[in-house]
Amino acid sequence: MSTTLATGTAPISTAGTTIPNSFEEIHAAVVALQPLLREHSARIEEHRRLPADVVELLRGAGVFRAAAPASWGGPGLTSVEQARVVEAAAYGDVSVGWCAMIGMDSGIYSGFIDQDTARRVYPSLDLAQSGWIFPQGNARRVEGGYLVSGRWRFGSGITHCDVLAAGCTVRDDEGEPVIDPRTGKPEWRIALASPDEYEIVDTWHTTGLAGSGSLDYAVEELFVPAERTFAFNRPVRTGPLHDAPDAILRKMSGVPLGLARAALDHVRGLAPGRIDRETGLPWPADHRVQQAVAQMEMELAAARASVYSTLERQWEALELGSERDVDARAETALARYHAFRTARSIVHRLFDLVGGASVYRDRSPMDRWLRDANTMCQHAVAQDSILQLTGNILLGGESTSPFL
């Protein structure tokens, strides 16, 4: 696999190379890319999307095939392993980590449609997925499929994706929602199509995650065959990635964990050369700095342990087919929420600790990391509503989330 980034945006060919196909190989390949990704973070942000050569480096590292099943010849990584790959990518660049996390959904989505159809939708293990899955659009039933219409936001990675998902409410000829007999709620389906079939709307002018290319996309009455649509409560492939519908969320914590680790390592690396302006103390001897760094290391270690221990317990229970009580269902969502919020807190405090030097975008990554931390915490998984949703089921209520 090439590890040279082009100065422009021309794709780097991976023809003739062997794509990593195990957790150890993929993780090592991504770790090897970290210095290159860090070096080109400013270019990634300036493009407001992943440049084509960066995408090809991720593809060549096996990132997009991470969740592809062993039955297809893929690595079939567990949720823990997927999160660790995402964490390694985010350590290099946060927008890259975010797009890696979204892009590997191809292996998960492929388990919800007929497997012959899935191989046609995903003819290669290394195709990148994108799309907003919540039912922002409408899908009107017609013979053989659905007419899909709507506009969706936050299409992270849409500028380089191979397959684009669009979440829809199914409607009848009169425009009324079709009720799903399994849930008693309006039927929610995800349509899979080529990004070329949509109008891509360049709305991604943001503070953080600027390089993720999370543009809007829209379409009017696009015909999508029924076999290229799916519902998360009706998997075709069995196993821990499909027996519970939250598989696409489990790896998300890798992004904040990688960001916080990168920021802490950066500031610790600065310490030997810094002297406190007021006290004249070198940072390594300054009790204030010592305590701050230790506190943040403790918090990150606790958040990381919570994420990976809860994912491991969930995976084991799903492998065994064990019943998961409300505490088990809540703990993964809470660990994920906590990882996002803890990472943001750490980056904010490190930004303040470094002081005025943090604000120079051309000299320090702190400004970018601060903006990335704030933007990622606007995702639904990091909102306070997660506390309400989990608290509700912990106190005996019925879940109102399809992922909990």
Side-chain angles (χ1 to χ4, degrees), residues 202-219:
D202 188 355
T203 54
W204 196 241
H205 299 273
T206 61
T207 54
L209 292 177
S212 66
S214 304
L215 280 60
D216 287 14
Y217 55 108
V219 77

Side-chain angles (χ1 to χ4, degrees), residues 69-264:
S71 61
W72 286 17
L77 301 193
T78 68
S79 294
V80 167
E81 292 168 339
Q82 291 173 36
R84 287 194 58 195
V85 169
V86 171
E87 183 180 15
Y91 185 90
D93 180 84
V94 184
S95 287
V96 168
W98 193 266
C99 288
M101 177 265 297
I102 298 290
M104 64 178 69
D105 279 338
S106 51
I108 298 175
Y109 290 177
S110 68
F112 287 92
I113 56 178
D114 172 78
Q115 293 302 278
D116 288 338
T117 301
R119 294 310 299 264
R120 291 193 293 272
V121 174
Y122 301 101
S124 164
L125 298 179
D126 300 300
L127 300 184
Q129 181 69 55
S130 180
W132 178 259
I133 60 168
F134 287 96
Q136 190 74 27
N138 295 305
R140 182 164 60 86
R141 282 181 173 174
V142 294
E143 184 177 356
Y146 301 89
L147 291 178
V148 172
S149 301
R151 178 164 172 160
W152 296 261
R153 298 187 297 162
F154 304 125
S156 300
I158 197 171
T159 54
H160 63 259
C161 78
D162 301 289
V163 181
L164 185 57
C168 298
T169 297
V170 177
R171 297 185 182 274
D172 61 22
D173 289 339
E174 279 68 50
E176 294 299 316
V178 175
I179 302 303
D180 185 338
R182 297 193 184 194
T183 65
K185 298 177 181 179
E187 185 176 351
W188 168 28
R189 295 193 74 78
I190 293 88
L192 300 174
S194 167
D196 295 338
E197 298 181 272
Y198 288 83
E199 176 192 3
I200 310 300
V201 188
D202 188 355
T203 54
W204 196 241
H205 299 273
T206 61
T207 54
L209 292 177
S212 66
S214 304
L215 280 60
D216 287 14
Y217 55 108
V219 77
E220 191 67 31
E221 294 200 334
L222 169 67
F223 176 73
V224 180
E227 63 268 21
R228 293 191 177 218
T229 71
F230 69 89
F232 279 115
N233 61 357
R234 296 172 186 171
V236 173
R237 194 185 300 146
T238 59
L241 278 186
H242 298 93
D243 292 346
D246 68 334
I248 60 171
L249 306 180
R250 298 175 203 162
K251 55 191 163 25
M252 289 188 72
S253 300
V255 180
L257 293 177
L259 165 58
R261 181 72 268 158
L264 267 166

Side-chain angles (χ1 to χ4, degrees), residues 288-345:
R288 176 181 67 90
V289 177
Q290 293 168 352
Q291 182 172 344
V293 169
Q295 176 79 26
M296 286 182 270
E297 286 286 359
M298 177 182 67
E299 292 174 8
L300 178 56
R304 191 172 189 273
S306 180
V307 165
Y308 287 120
S309 63
T310 57
L311 287 177
E312 286 170 356
R313 284 194 293 273
Q314 180 188 33
W315 190 270
E316 181 180 359
L318 290 170
E319 274 193 317
L320 296 173
S322 304
E323 188 71 27
R324 298 172 62 235
D325 61 19
V326 293
D327 291 79
R329 287 160 48 206
E331 67 175 4
T332 51
L334 290 174
R336 186 165 48 243
Y337 168 92
H338 183 56
F340 273 82
R341 292 304 186 98
T342 298
R344 182 170 69 175
S345 173

